[in-house]
Every structure is written in C-alpha cells, then in structure tokens.
Amino acid sequence: MSRDNLPEHSRGRPAAQRPAGGGVERAPAAPQSLPGSHQASALGFVPSPDRFHWWAELHDDVKAYLERKVGPAIEWWADLHERERDRPYAVVLGPNGLAVTTPSVNSQGRRTQSVKVVPFVASSIRHAVVQQQPTRPRGGLRSLVSRGRDSAPTAPQLELTQDMRGILGNLPLEAQQRLQTPFLGDQAIQHYRSYYYGNDEDLDLWCYLAGDRTVTFASGHRTLPLGADPQQASWRLVCYQADVAR
C-alpha cells in the first residue's frame, strides 16, 4: 500500500465510462456461514454536481498517477469530500489495484490530493453479475443459510457505520453476501466508502470494502416505483473481488 501527494486542481476532461473488466468470478470455497441482510435505510438526496464534475476538479497529474498505479479504470467515482466540503475525492478500481484520493495540504500550504493505493495480486480480480427483479423477493436467497420457516440469517457484525449498513441493506442479499463474506473470519475491514447519485426511483450506486487480504467492490443501477419498499427494487450490479498483494 502506498500513499503520495499530488496537486489537486485541473479542468481536464472527465474520465470516460469503461466496460467492466476482469475474469468471471471463480467459485469460492464454501464459507462456514453467510451473512444475512442489513436493514435498508432511506437514501437521502441533495442537489449536487455529478461525479464527472468532481472528476474534472482533479489535476491531470492525479489522474495520470492513478492510471499508472491501478491501470485503466474499471469502475470509478468522484464526489465532494465530507470534511473539505468544496474539494473532491475520488475512488478508482482498476485491474491492478484500488486507489482512493483524499484532499490534503502540503508543507507549502498548497492544496494536494493524498493518494492511497491498494495493489492487487496479478490477474486476481474477478466479477459476477447480480440481478434482482421485483417479482423475485430478496429473501429467496436465505435458503442458502437456513431452511427454517421462521429463522433468518443474522446481519454480520462487521466494523461498519450504521450509515454504511443501511446502504448495504438496500442491495440484493446476494450482493451483500459477496461484499461481506471475505470479512466474516479474521480479516478486518480496514476502510470502505460508498457513493450514489440520482433519486429514489432511479439511481446509480458504487461501494467498496477493503481489508489486508481482499477488496470487494460493487457498482450498479436501481429502479424503484414511486413509494415502493426497497425490497421491490430492480437492480443490476457487478460485484468484484480481488486479492491484495502483500
């Protein structure tokens, strides 16, 4: 894992959308247990520029550095930082690693972006498509854990904020399991982030969880009839998993 500071501001062209890459996910070894679902929280929306706007705020040197470190972007987002409310941060998933930038200030008082890079084992990234239709209740996958009529899998007690748990709770159960299962044993989640943009009826979402051995990442699109329960949403997600190089 590396961290560097690079100049922040630029008005370069936004990153282009890129198709999802990597190999199709290999069947994992059966875990001792699978996580259940979190309670979905209401997703709040405020007027804000989209990810392309905030990506354009990053200096071209930052963008070039990110591509050198993690390769061409498979998935990415940029947004205003929760602490530095007028400055951006970015998350980029590439074939060679995950990069996360954070606004900073160098010793000369200039605004910079601190870059954390989590490198991947070569060719270890794989992906799986997760789809949910309103006619297929999310709870249908619970039989993977328990066939008892009244029993349901308990949501995993991972080191996540309540906000992050609520965001995960909006996802199909299979996506929640793919994101969290690697962290059910002795591997702790070291850092994580999420981002969504749109409205209740039509939104795009990205999130990742990162430990010292594994990174999981999901991106996708949700549609939901006005006033419907989140379980009645239609989802199409791509879930990624990669091994961290140590």
Side-chain angles (χ1 to χ4, degrees), residues 90-111:
V91 175
V92 179
L93 175 74
N96 303 324
L98 176 78
V100 182
T101 82
T102 304
S104 184
V105 177
N106 66 15
S107 58
Q108 288 77 43
R110 296 181 58 187
R111 290 185 169 191

Side-chain angles (χ1 to χ4, degrees), residues 51-67:
R51 63 186 182 133
F52 291 93
H53 168 88
W54 293 108
W55 182 261
E57 291 290 311
L58 294 174
H59 197 284
D60 288 343
D61 287 349
V62 177
K63 301 168 190 175
Y65 180 83
L66 297 177
E67 183 158 352

Side-chain angles (χ1 to χ4, degrees), residues 73-236:
I74 297 171
E75 301 286 355
W76 67 275
W77 81 80
D79 192 19
L80 76 169
H81 193 264
E82 64 272 13
R83 185 185 69 250
E84 304 288 344
R85 298 297 292 174
D86 63 336
R87 301 176 62 190
Y89 78 93
V91 175
V92 179
L93 175 74
N96 303 324
L98 176 78
V100 182
T101 82
T102 304
S104 184
V105 177
N106 66 15
S107 58
Q108 288 77 43
R110 296 181 58 187
R111 290 185 169 191
T112 62
Q113 286 283 325
S114 173
V115 183
K116 177 190 295 183
V117 176
V118 182
F120 295 159
V121 173
S123 303
S124 69
I125 191 168
R126 56 267 194 198
H127 71 271
V129 176
V130 175
Q131 299 191 74
Q132 173 180 285
Q133 300 299 327
T135 55
R136 297 180 61 192
R138 185 172 57 182
L141 286 173
R142 287 177 179 167
S143 60
L144 293 172
V145 182
S146 174
R147 297 186 183 274
R149 175 176 297 180
D150 299 321
S151 61
T154 302
Q157 298 303 305
L158 302 177
E159 292 296 323
L160 300 170
T161 63
Q162 194 60 41
D163 284 346
M164 187 66 177
R165 294 175 190 273
I167 290 171
L168 291 175
N170 281 275
L171 302 180
L173 179 59
E174 181 183 352
Q176 294 188 50
Q177 290 174 342
R178 289 185 178 277
L179 285 165
Q180 297 173 100
T181 297
F183 307 102
L184 292 182
D186 61 354
Q187 180 180 196
I189 297 174
Q190 295 181 333
H191 55 100
Y192 56 90
R193 273 192 175 274
S194 64
Y195 169 75
Y196 55 89
Y197 191 86
N199 54 50
D200 282 321
E201 293 81 47
D202 196 349
L203 69 84
D204 296 299
L205 181 144
W206 294 261
C207 63
Y208 78 84
L209 307 175
D212 62 356
R213 300 194 299 274
T214 310
V215 168
T216 59
F217 193 110
S219 68
H221 185 76
R222 183 187 86 171
T223 57
L224 179 68
L226 180 64
D229 186 273
Q231 293 190 21
Q232 298 304 307
S234 294
W235 278 100
R236 187 185 188 281

